[in-house]
Amino acid sequence: MLKTAFVALFLGLLMSASAATLAHDYVLTSSLNDILGGPSLVSDGGTLIPSGYTFGADQGLNLSSALLNPADYSILMDFSFIDLNGYKKILDFQDRTSDNGLYNLNPTLDFYPVAAGSPIFSPNVLARVVLTRDAGTNTVTGYVNGVQQLTFNDGASFAIFGATNNIIRFFEDDNITDQREASAGLATEIQIYNGALTSAQVEALGGPSAAPSSVPEPAALTLVGFGLLSLGLARPIKV
């Protein structure tokens, strides 16, 4: 009877889970390859070491042809920056041809030019940043260590990856302004989901692992795990 009840609970949670599924998982303590078999990350000058991918300013990573829908996704990044002063770009959406994007700002999570959170980052301390975009509602939401920091309606399509092959650039500033808004740092894991995770699912993901697992959970089981766990400002102007 207990086994039957558990199976029924499992199937119920699976059917009610969000459509978001884990599509790509990069454990950067071992390689730049997707352990789910998708396209590999490309280094832009950093170095892979046992503790993760270490990079200088503008020596981040890029990834092409990884999104099923460039307007409907979730991206998880475990990383730390050395320098948190001013703007430091986390995600670039237009292959470095636009100043818009996801940033650290003194030391908040900030989506320029529309939304900012509260001070949350510390230098050289790993944080788990998750950015979601729901194509059905155009809602963009940013989280740090499972806690929502910002949200906005993206009717202007700032958070849609619109360059060739929907390229994603991590930890690299654009080439539009004279300011170099990038920091050196360390990245330990990146995950890409097809679809927008719910706030409960992101909360269940929590903060970065001290040692990221090299074996991912199957996407369906991951979402069920989220379900089980869930049961138990005016922004500054750049100068």
PDB file of all heavy atoms in Angstrom, residues 5 18 43 47 58 65 68 73 116 125 145 147 153 156 169 180 187 205 210-211 223:
ATOM      1  N   ALA A   5       0.993   4.143  -2.848  1.00  0.00           N
ATOM      2  CA  ALA A   5       0.729   5.543  -2.532  1.00  0.00           C
ATOM      3  C   ALA A   5       1.869   6.435  -3.026  1.00  0.00           C
ATOM      4  O   ALA A   5       1.645   7.534  -3.547  1.00  0.00           O
ATOM      5  CB  ALA A   5       0.532   5.724  -1.028  1.00  0.00           C
ATOM      6  N   SER A  18       6.036  21.905 -13.598  1.00  0.00           N
ATOM      7  CA  SER A  18       6.218  22.875 -14.673  1.00  0.00           C
ATOM      8  C   SER A  18       6.764  22.187 -15.909  1.00  0.00           C
ATOM      9  O   SER A  18       7.420  21.164 -15.843  1.00  0.00           O
ATOM     10  CB  SER A  18       7.202  23.954 -14.207  1.00  0.00           C
ATOM     11  OG  SER A  18       7.684  24.698 -15.290  1.00  0.00           O
ATOM     12  N   SER A  43      35.470  28.716 -24.168  1.00  0.00           N
ATOM     13  CA  SER A  43      36.250  29.633 -23.340  1.00  0.00           C
ATOM     14  C   SER A  43      36.663  30.849 -24.151  1.00  0.00           C
ATOM     15  O   SER A  43      37.061  30.738 -25.311  1.00  0.00           O
ATOM     16  CB  SER A  43      37.495  28.921 -22.807  1.00  0.00           C
ATOM     17  OG  SER A  43      38.405  29.852 -22.247  1.00  0.00           O
ATOM     18  N   THR A  47      40.630  29.784 -17.697  1.00  0.00           N
ATOM     19  CA  THR A  47      41.335  28.517 -17.497  1.00  0.00           C
ATOM     20  C   THR A  47      40.498  27.579 -16.638  1.00  0.00           C
ATOM     21  O   THR A  47      39.932  27.991 -15.623  1.00  0.00           O
ATOM     22  CB  THR A  47      42.695  28.750 -16.802  1.00  0.00           C
ATOM     23  OG1 THR A  47      43.460  29.666 -17.583  1.00  0.00           O
ATOM     24  CG2 THR A  47      43.461  27.443 -16.653  1.00  0.00           C
ATOM     25  N   ASP A  58      36.381  40.056 -18.853  1.00  0.00           N
ATOM     26  CA  ASP A  58      36.047  39.798 -20.260  1.00  0.00           C
ATOM     27  C   ASP A  58      36.643  38.500 -20.790  1.00  0.00           C
ATOM     28  O   ASP A  58      36.803  38.330 -21.995  1.00  0.00           O
ATOM     29  CB  ASP A  58      36.459  40.971 -21.163  1.00  0.00           C
ATOM     30  CG  ASP A  58      35.487  42.134 -21.067  1.00  0.00           C
ATOM     31  OD1 ASP A  58      34.285  41.890 -20.874  1.00  0.00           O
ATOM     32  OD2 ASP A  58      35.931  43.293 -21.185  1.00  0.00           O
ATOM     33  N   SER A  65      23.484  27.903 -29.859  1.00  0.00           N
ATOM     34  CA  SER A  65      22.533  26.860 -30.284  1.00  0.00           C
ATOM     35  C   SER A  65      22.129  25.939 -29.143  1.00  0.00           C
ATOM     36  O   SER A  65      21.985  24.727 -29.325  1.00  0.00           O
ATOM     37  CB  SER A  65      23.141  26.042 -31.438  1.00  0.00           C
ATOM     38  OG  SER A  65      23.519  26.870 -32.509  1.00  0.00           O
ATOM     39  N   LEU A  68      16.065  25.994 -26.858  1.00  0.00           N
ATOM     40  CA  LEU A  68      14.930  25.562 -27.678  1.00  0.00           C
ATOM     41  C   LEU A  68      14.106  26.765 -28.104  1.00  0.00           C
ATOM     42  O   LEU A  68      13.620  26.845 -29.233  1.00  0.00           O
ATOM     43  CB  LEU A  68      14.071  24.574 -26.888  1.00  0.00           C
ATOM     44  CG  LEU A  68      12.888  23.946 -27.616  1.00  0.00           C
ATOM     45  CD1 LEU A  68      13.379  23.092 -28.779  1.00  0.00           C
ATOM     46  CD2 LEU A  68      12.057  23.101 -26.648  1.00  0.00           C
ATOM     47  N   TYR A  73      13.045  30.369 -21.085  1.00  0.00           N
ATOM     48  CA  TYR A  73      14.182  29.612 -20.572  1.00  0.00           C
ATOM     49  C   TYR A  73      14.406  29.909 -19.092  1.00  0.00           C
ATOM     50  O   TYR A  73      13.821  30.847 -18.529  1.00  0.00           O
ATOM     51  CB  TYR A  73      15.462  30.001 -21.339  1.00  0.00           C
ATOM     52  CG  TYR A  73      15.758  31.484 -21.231  1.00  0.00           C
ATOM     53  CD1 TYR A  73      16.401  32.008 -20.107  1.00  0.00           C
ATOM     54  CD2 TYR A  73      15.369  32.376 -22.233  1.00  0.00           C
ATOM     55  CE1 TYR A  73      16.641  33.365 -19.983  1.00  0.00           C
ATOM     56  CE2 TYR A  73      15.607  33.733 -22.114  1.00  0.00           C
ATOM     57  CZ  TYR A  73      16.240  34.224 -20.985  1.00  0.00           C
ATOM     58  OH  TYR A  73      16.464  35.563 -20.859  1.00  0.00           O
ATOM     59  N   ALA A 116      16.235  46.381 -10.540  1.00  0.00           N
ATOM     60  CA  ALA A 116      17.355  46.088  -9.643  1.00  0.00           C
ATOM     61  C   ALA A 116      16.837  45.509  -8.340  1.00  0.00           C
ATOM     62  O   ALA A 116      15.683  45.737  -7.948  1.00  0.00           O
ATOM     63  CB  ALA A 116      18.172  47.349  -9.377  1.00  0.00           C
ATOM     64  N   VAL A 125      32.863  35.178  -3.139  1.00  0.00           N
ATOM     65  CA  VAL A 125      31.940  34.229  -2.502  1.00  0.00           C
ATOM     66  C   VAL A 125      30.980  33.714  -3.567  1.00  0.00           C
ATOM     67  O   VAL A 125      30.276  34.500  -4.217  1.00  0.00           O
ATOM     68  CB  VAL A 125      31.154  34.882  -1.357  1.00  0.00           C
ATOM     69  CG1 VAL A 125      30.132  33.890  -0.785  1.00  0.00           C
ATOM     70  CG2 VAL A 125      32.094  35.357  -0.259  1.00  0.00           C
ATOM     71  N   ASN A 145      20.639  32.696  -4.833  1.00  0.00           N
ATOM     72  CA  ASN A 145      20.571  31.684  -3.779  1.00  0.00           C
ATOM     73  C   ASN A 145      19.126  31.338  -3.410  1.00  0.00           C
ATOM     74  O   ASN A 145      18.788  31.183  -2.237  1.00  0.00           O
ATOM     75  CB  ASN A 145      21.350  32.134  -2.543  1.00  0.00           C
ATOM     76  CG  ASN A 145      22.829  32.316  -2.848  1.00  0.00           C
ATOM     77  OD1 ASN A 145      23.370  31.692  -3.760  1.00  0.00           O
ATOM     78  ND2 ASN A 145      23.489  33.181  -2.094  1.00  0.00           N
ATOM     79  N   VAL A 147      16.406  33.145  -3.681  1.00  0.00           N
ATOM     80  CA  VAL A 147      15.555  34.258  -3.234  1.00  0.00           C
ATOM     81  C   VAL A 147      15.365  35.240  -4.389  1.00  0.00           C
ATOM     82  O   VAL A 147      16.342  35.694  -4.998  1.00  0.00           O
ATOM     83  CB  VAL A 147      16.175  34.982  -2.028  1.00  0.00           C
ATOM     84  CG1 VAL A 147      15.292  36.156  -1.592  1.00  0.00           C
ATOM     85  CG2 VAL A 147      16.374  34.007  -0.867  1.00  0.00           C
ATOM     86  N   ASN A 153       8.194  43.009 -16.550  1.00  0.00           N
ATOM     87  CA  ASN A 153       7.585  42.581 -17.798  1.00  0.00           C
ATOM     88  C   ASN A 153       8.495  42.990 -18.953  1.00  0.00           C
ATOM     89  O   ASN A 153       8.797  44.172 -19.127  1.00  0.00           O
ATOM     90  CB  ASN A 153       6.200  43.200 -17.978  1.00  0.00           C
ATOM     91  CG  ASN A 153       5.536  42.704 -19.256  1.00  0.00           C
ATOM     92  OD1 ASN A 153       5.779  43.220 -20.340  1.00  0.00           O
ATOM     93  ND2 ASN A 153       4.696  41.682 -19.120  1.00  0.00           N
ATOM     94  N   ALA A 156       9.773  44.849 -24.003  1.00  0.00           N
ATOM     95  CA  ALA A 156      10.784  45.405 -24.903  1.00  0.00           C
ATOM     96  C   ALA A 156      11.776  44.359 -25.394  1.00  0.00           C
ATOM     97  O   ALA A 156      12.686  44.687 -26.161  1.00  0.00           O
ATOM     98  CB  ALA A 156      11.540  46.534 -24.201  1.00  0.00           C
ATOM     99  N   ARG A 169      26.402  34.933 -23.808  1.00  0.00           N
ATOM    100  CA  ARG A 169      27.736  35.259 -23.314  1.00  0.00           C
ATOM    101  C   ARG A 169      27.684  35.475 -21.810  1.00  0.00           C
ATOM    102  O   ARG A 169      26.863  36.245 -21.308  1.00  0.00           O
ATOM    103  CB  ARG A 169      28.299  36.490 -24.024  1.00  0.00           C
ATOM    104  CG  ARG A 169      28.676  36.196 -25.471  1.00  0.00           C
ATOM    105  CD  ARG A 169      29.557  37.279 -26.071  1.00  0.00           C
ATOM    106  NE  ARG A 169      29.973  36.939 -27.425  1.00  0.00           N
ATOM    107  CZ  ARG A 169      31.064  36.235 -27.723  1.00  0.00           C
ATOM    108  NH1 ARG A 169      31.846  35.800 -26.742  1.00  0.00           N
ATOM    109  NH2 ARG A 169      31.368  35.968 -28.978  1.00  0.00           N
ATOM    110  N   ARG A 180      34.536  49.441 -19.282  1.00  0.00           N
ATOM    111  CA  ARG A 180      34.732  47.998 -19.253  1.00  0.00           C
ATOM    112  C   ARG A 180      34.060  47.477 -17.986  1.00  0.00           C
ATOM    113  O   ARG A 180      34.624  47.546 -16.895  1.00  0.00           O
ATOM    114  CB  ARG A 180      36.220  47.619 -19.281  1.00  0.00           C
ATOM    115  CG  ARG A 180      36.956  48.073 -20.515  1.00  0.00           C
ATOM    116  CD  ARG A 180      36.186  47.881 -21.808  1.00  0.00           C
ATOM    117  NE  ARG A 180      35.755  46.494 -22.012  1.00  0.00           N
ATOM    118  CZ  ARG A 180      34.781  46.177 -22.832  1.00  0.00           C
ATOM    119  NH1 ARG A 180      34.102  47.088 -23.485  1.00  0.00           N
ATOM    120  NH2 ARG A 180      34.454  44.906 -22.985  1.00  0.00           N
ATOM    121  N   ALA A 187      33.708  30.422 -11.982  1.00  0.00           N
ATOM    122  CA  ALA A 187      32.411  29.788 -12.227  1.00  0.00           C
ATOM    123  C   ALA A 187      32.539  28.292 -12.016  1.00  0.00           C
ATOM    124  O   ALA A 187      33.534  27.688 -12.427  1.00  0.00           O
ATOM    125  CB  ALA A 187      31.925  30.073 -13.647  1.00  0.00           C
ATOM    126  N   LEU A 205      16.217  24.831  -5.470  1.00  0.00           N
ATOM    127  CA  LEU A 205      17.594  24.714  -5.934  1.00  0.00           C
ATOM    128  C   LEU A 205      18.579  25.315  -4.939  1.00  0.00           C
ATOM    129  O   LEU A 205      19.724  24.882  -4.853  1.00  0.00           O
ATOM    130  CB  LEU A 205      17.747  25.410  -7.289  1.00  0.00           C
ATOM    131  CG  LEU A 205      17.182  24.678  -8.501  1.00  0.00           C
ATOM    132  CD1 LEU A 205      17.152  25.606  -9.713  1.00  0.00           C
ATOM    133  CD2 LEU A 205      17.982  23.427  -8.813  1.00  0.00           C
ATOM    134  N   ALA A 210      29.085  23.228  -2.695  1.00  0.00           N
ATOM    135  CA  ALA A 210      30.528  23.339  -2.484  1.00  0.00           C
ATOM    136  C   ALA A 210      31.269  22.510  -3.516  1.00  0.00           C
ATOM    137  O   ALA A 210      32.337  22.871  -3.985  1.00  0.00           O
ATOM    138  CB  ALA A 210      30.886  22.883  -1.072  1.00  0.00           C
ATOM    139  N   ALA A 211      30.698  21.367  -3.867  1.00  0.00           N
ATOM    140  CA  ALA A 211      31.294  20.496  -4.885  1.00  0.00           C
ATOM    141  C   ALA A 211      30.182  20.026  -5.802  1.00  0.00           C
ATOM    142  O   ALA A 211      29.469  19.071  -5.491  1.00  0.00           O
ATOM    143  CB  ALA A 211      31.991  19.303  -4.240  1.00  0.00           C
ATOM    144  N   LEU A 223      12.334  17.777 -11.470  1.00  0.00           N
ATOM    145  CA  LEU A 223      11.133  18.551 -11.251  1.00  0.00           C
ATOM    146  C   LEU A 223      10.279  17.964 -10.152  1.00  0.00           C
ATOM    147  O   LEU A 223       9.686  18.683  -9.356  1.00  0.00           O
ATOM    148  CB  LEU A 223      10.330  18.648 -12.558  1.00  0.00           C
ATOM    149  CG  LEU A 223      11.005  19.489 -13.651  1.00  0.00           C
ATOM    150  CD1 LEU A 223      10.232  19.358 -14.958  1.00  0.00           C
ATOM    151  CD2 LEU A 223      11.086  20.940 -13.234  1.00  0.00           C
TER     152      LEU A 223
END
